[in-house]
Amino acid sequence: MVDTTSGEKSKHLPTGVTGLDVVLHGGLLRGAMYLVTGAPGTGKTVLSSQIAFHRAAAGENVVYVTTFSESHARLLSNLETFTFFDRSLVQSRLTLLSGVAALEEGGLKRFQAMLSQAVREHHASLIVIDSLNTASELASSSFVYRKFLRELGTLLSLVGCTALLVAHKGEGQEMLHQFAADGIIELDQKMLGMRLTREVMILKQRGSAHLGGRHVFDIGDSGLTVHPRREALLLDRELATRPSEHKSRFGIRGLDDMLEGGVPSASMTAVMGAPGSGKTLLGLHLLKEGLSLGQPSLYFGFYETPPRLIAKAEGVGLRLRESVESGLLEVQWRQPTEQFLDSIAEQILERVYRNKVKRLFLDGVDGLMQAVAHPERFPVFFTALSNELRALGVSSAVSMETPFGGPELGLAPVGLSATVENIIFVRYVELRARLHRLISILKVRESNYDPSIREFHITPQGLEVASTFDSAEVVLGQMALGGMRAPAPGPPSSHSRSPQEGSGEDV
C-alpha cells in the first residue's frame, strides 16, 4: 500500500483503543484498508465505532456506512452506553450513511460510486463499512467482487482515507477479503472454564511492524481495552548488567545477618513455604523496612483484603496504617479468577510508575497463575515482568506456596526458580505435638549468604530469627532420631559462601 500522506502528517492513524496502538506499533496506516473480522458478538462493531468516535473527537471527518446489519437508531442506541460515545459528533464529524438503497438499486457498482462520493464529499480520514458480507452476496462472480475490492482500495489509497471493513468470519468471500486487505484484525472469544476470554490478533499489516500473536482484550464501559502480552513488549530501558552493590534489608536482624545485609536492591526474591508458614509476614517486613527509609512501597495480593492485611500486620507489631494513610504504602487486593494476567501486570506497573515504587511484595504467585488463560506462557510472562521491575529499580518479593509442612524442601512452580535472584524458604515441622518454624536461604545470586537452617518465631513484635542454627539443629536432629533422644551440640554458628558458591543455581 502506498502511503499518500506527506508533510508533518503521521504515517499512522491512532485508534484511541487502549493497548491496540501498542500492538499496531502506533495505529492503523493512513490510506490502508483493514478487515475487521470475527464471529458474531466478538465486538467488531464496538471496535470500529470506538475508533470512529476517537477520530471524530480528534477533529477529523469520519463516514460510517451501514448495510443490512442494523438501523442507525439501533446502532446509536447500542453505543450510547459507552463513554466514547458523543452524540454531538454524530452528523457533524461522524456521518452515518446507509448503503442499502445503493446496493438494492445498482449493486456493487452503485455502492462503490456512493462510497467514493461520500469519502470525497466529507474529506473523510476514516470510513467504516459495517458490514461487507451483504455486498459480497450481491457479486455475480468472485472476479467481479475482487474487482470491486481492488478499485475501492485504490480509491482510498489515492485520497489517504483509512477503511475498516467489518465482516463476519467464515461467511461470504472471506478469502477475497483477506487477499485485498492491507491489514486484518481478527477478534475471537471462547470459554475457559467458567470465564469468557476475548482475544485479538493482527493477522496481517502491510508496510508496518506489529506485535504478533494473540492478546487478551475486554469490553467495558470505555469500550475495548487490549492487554498486549507482556513478554512481547520491549523494555524501554536497559537492564543493569551487574548486580547492585546496595542491599534491601528485611528489618529482621537474624535474617539480615544470614543475607549479609539484605538481598541485592532491584532484585526479585521468592519467599517459598507452606500455607501459614510466615511468607506474607516476611514480605510485609520487607515493605516495612523500606517505609522506614521513606521508600514508596506496594503490596499487591489476592487473598487478604486491605483492612484484614493491615489488622494482621498490626497483630504482630507491624504498623502500616499510617503509611497507607500518608500514601507511602499502597495496598491492593484483586480476585484472581476475575482478572487476566496481562491486565494484572499493567495494574502493578501503572502503580510502580505513578508512585515511583521502590519496594513491592506480590502475594502470591499462585494468584497470578489462576489468572492465566494459557498456562504454558506463564514462565516467560513472569520473566518479562521481573525484568521490567528490575529495570525500574524495584526490590521485589513474591510469595510461592509449597506442599504442606514437613522437613523436605518443597518445589517452586515449574520454571520460576530460575527467574528469581534470591530464594528464601520457610517451613514448619511438627515435633512432640509442637510446631517449629524453620527458615533457610537457598539462593542469593552473586552475593554471600549463610546457608544454615535457623528456627524463627512469630511474636507480637514481628518475626524473630534465631542468631544461630543450634535450635534448628536440635529440632531436626530429634526428628531424625524419631524424637527418642536429644542431639549433640552443633558446629559453629554460620559460614559464608563465595559468590560463585552462592550464585546461580536453581534449587
Side-chain angles (χ1 to χ4, degrees):
M1 175 58 59
V2 177
D3 177 18
T4 59
T5 61
S6 60
E8 297 181 353
K9 217 170 192 178
S10 168
K11 177 182 178 184
H12 290 96
L13 193 75
T15 65
V17 178
T18 303
L20 183 58
D21 289 337
V22 175
V23 174
L24 290 168
H25 282 198
L28 306 170
L29 289 174
R30 291 186 184 273
M33 198 163 64
Y34 285 82
L35 178 66
V36 181
T37 184
T42 49
K44 301 183 296 298
T45 295
V46 176
L47 173 63
S48 302
S49 302
Q50 188 175 348
I51 297 172
F53 272 93
H54 178 73
R55 296 318 311 167
E60 297 179 1
N61 294 327
V62 177
V63 173
Y64 199 112
V65 180
T66 59
T67 52
F68 287 95
S69 53
E70 56 188 346
S71 67
H72 291 169
R74 175 66 64 86
L75 174 67
L76 295 177
S77 174
N78 292 337
L79 294 177
E80 64 184 359
T81 59
F82 293 104
T83 57
F84 63 75
F85 180 80
D86 183 350
R87 189 169 288 276
S88 69
L89 295 173
V90 179
Q91 305 303 75
S92 58
R93 288 292 182 183
L94 196 159
T95 302
L96 288 173
L97 298 175
S98 172
V100 174
L103 285 168
E104 284 184 327
E105 295 170 6
L108 288 182
K109 190 171 183 180
R110 179 75 176 272
F111 186 53
Q112 184 176 330
M114 172 210 159
L115 297 175
S116 175
Q117 181 181 355
V119 168
R120 295 179 187 278
E121 183 177 316
H122 295 281
H123 304 286
S125 66
L126 176 71
I127 182 170
V128 180
I129 303 176
D130 185 8
S131 73
L132 202 61
N133 295 82
T134 306
S136 69
E137 293 169 2
L138 292 176
S140 57
S141 67
S142 296
F143 176 80
V144 171
Y145 190 60
R146 187 190 293 269
K147 182 170 181 286
F148 162 76
L149 292 174
R150 179 176 175 276
E151 291 178 353
L152 178 61
T154 301
L155 163 71
L156 296 171
S157 175
L158 286 173
V159 299
C161 177
T162 303
L164 296 177
L165 312 179
V166 180
H168 299 310
K169 187 178 180 183
E171 292 184 10
Q173 308 277 7
E174 182 179 356
M175 292 306 295
L176 291 182
H177 294 160
Q178 295 184 4
F179 282 127
D182 300 297
I184 301 174
I185 302 173
E186 181 177 291
L187 305 181
D188 189 20
Q189 63 182 18
K190 55 190 171 186
M191 294 298 297
L192 291 177
M194 298 293 289
R195 190 168 47 169
L196 179 67
T197 303
R198 300 177 189 270
E199 295 176 340
V200 60
M201 182 161 57
I202 308 303
L203 293 177
K204 173 182 177 183
Q205 180 162 254
R206 291 174 181 152
S208 178
H210 63 276
L211 291 182
R214 294 181 173 273
H215 308 275
V216 169
F217 74 93
D218 51 49
I219 300 178
D221 292 342
S222 59
L224 266 75
T225 299
V226 178
H227 307 287
R229 284 182 299 111
R230 206 76 226 163
E231 62 271 25
L233 300 173
L234 295 176
L235 286 176
D236 59 1
R237 62 191 71 194
E238 291 187 2
L239 275 173
T241 55
R242 296 175 59 85
S244 171
E245 296 179 355
H246 300 287
K247 296 288 187 76
S248 293
R249 301 173 63 88
F250 280 78
I252 305 171
R253 182 174 178 180
L255 178 58
D256 288 332
D257 288 345
M258 294 172 72
L259 291 165
E260 299 202 354
V263 293
S265 295
S267 65
M268 176 64 79
T269 301
V271 181
M272 297 168 48
S277 56
K279 301 184 297 298
T280 297
L281 287 181
L282 265 177
L284 293 179
H285 268 281
L286 180 70
L287 298 185
K288 178 63 178 172
E289 182 66 10
L291 294 170
S292 69
L293 300 173
Q295 294 178 336
S297 302
L298 171 64
Y299 170 92
F300 200 102
F302 303 96
Y303 303 108
E304 305 273 10
T305 61
R308 186 174 176 182
L309 180 81
I310 292 170
K312 180 178 179 178
E314 288 180 342
V316 293
L318 297 176
R319 296 191 60 81
L320 302 177
R321 193 178 305 275
E322 293 80 0
S323 298
V324 172
E325 291 173 353
S326 69
L328 195 59
L329 171 64
E330 186 170 359
V331 177
Q332 288 291 322
W333 167 75
R334 294 289 185 277
Q335 285 276 11
T337 54
E338 299 303 321
Q339 300 279 319
F340 286 102
L341 202 56
D342 298 298
S343 171
I344 292 175
E346 290 167 6
Q347 295 170 49
I348 293 172
L349 291 168
E350 187 274 330
R351 285 163 174 79
V352 168
Y353 277 102
R354 171 169 35 91
N355 297 335
K356 298 181 173 55
V357 165
K358 289 302 174 188
R359 294 204 184 195
L360 164 68
F361 180 48
L362 184 55
D363 188 23
V365 78
D366 52 326
L368 278 179
M369 295 178 78
Q370 289 182 45
V372 66
H374 303 284
E376 68 277 6
R377 62 173 285 242
F378 189 78
V380 291
F381 160 83
F382 192 76
T383 299
L385 177 61
S386 300
N387 285 339
E388 196 153 357
L389 291 168
R390 289 186 194 104
L392 292 168
V394 181
S395 297
S396 308
V398 57
S399 62
M400 297 183 181
E401 197 162 294
T402 62
F404 196 87
E408 297 83 12
L409 297 181
L411 296 176
V414 176
L416 293 190
S417 61
T419 66
V420 299
E421 286 96 342
N422 324 306
I423 297 179
I424 298 174
F425 184 57
V426 289
R427 52 181 159 158
Y428 42 65
V429 296
E430 182 180 345
L431 179 65
R432 293 176 177 171
R434 181 185 168 194
L435 289 178
H436 296 265
R437 287 185 166 86
L438 304 175
I439 187 169
S440 53
I441 300 167
L442 304 186
K443 170 181 171 182
V444 178
R445 190 164 290 171
E446 301 187 33
S447 179
N448 292 337
Y449 65 93
D450 178 356
S452 65
I453 299 173
R454 298 194 189 183
E455 192 173 15
F456 74 97
H457 303 276
I458 299 175
T459 75
Q461 291 75 44
L463 265 66
E464 293 182 356
V465 176
S467 58
T468 70
F469 62 66
D470 292 347
S471 61
E473 191 173 66
V474 169
V475 171
L476 294 174
Q478 289 186 344
M479 289 190 67
L481 296 174
M484 297 302 294
R485 61 187 175 87
S493 60
S494 67
H495 71 277
S496 295
R497 299 180 65 178
S498 67
Q500 290 73 25
E501 289 174 317
S503 65
E505 306 308 343
D506 298 340
V507 293

